[in-house]
Amino acid sequence: MIILIILSILFLLGTIYFAYRAYVLAGLLADSEDYYESVAKTNQYMFNRITQTYNAMKRIDRIGAFEKDDEAGTTFSLLKEVIDELKEEFDAKEEEKK
């Protein structure tokens, strides 16, 4: 009879322990989902900013006023290349999601 009581207590303690661990893991899972959503929002924000910057740069140089021979033109073209690369990367990720 004592063995049955000890086994029942051990089973009860084991059940409580595993229920507690499940509760903790559920909280961690919820936190990771919140983090994932935060990263997704940040990515969307960055994509929007890159698109806005790209459009602003196209608007600034709509008549091709920046020459590549001078320092401003070189800087402008380098910035435009970086924005093009970022835009392509983010566009590719957007297409992969779809």
Side-chain angles (χ1 to χ4, degrees), residues 32-79:
S32 67
E33 288 176 359
D34 291 342
Y35 176 73
Y36 178 75
E37 289 175 11
S38 172
V39 169
K41 287 179 183 177
T42 302
N43 283 345
Q44 185 62 41
Y45 171 77
M46 292 303 294
F47 177 74
N48 290 339
R49 293 296 297 163
I50 288 169
T51 303
Q52 289 172 355
T53 305
Y54 180 78
N55 291 336
M57 289 196 65
K58 283 176 49 179
R59 190 175 57 247
I60 289 169
D61 195 32
R62 68 183 173 273
I63 58 173
F66 291 104
E67 295 290 330
K68 290 190 177 190
D69 296 339
D70 64 353
E71 186 176 327
T74 303
T75 304
F76 183 84
S77 65
L78 289 173
L79 284 172

Side-chain angles (χ1 to χ4, degrees), residues 46-56 58 79-95:
M46 292 303 294
F47 177 74
N48 290 339
R49 293 296 297 163
I50 288 169
T51 303
Q52 289 172 355
T53 305
Y54 180 78
N55 291 336
K58 283 176 49 179
L79 284 172
K80 192 166 187 227
E81 286 177 23
V82 169
I83 290 174
D84 285 339
E85 289 173 9
L86 287 172
K87 187 166 175 19
E88 288 175 12
E89 183 177 331
F90 273 92
D91 279 341
K93 288 183 181 179
E94 289 293 317
E95 290 174 6

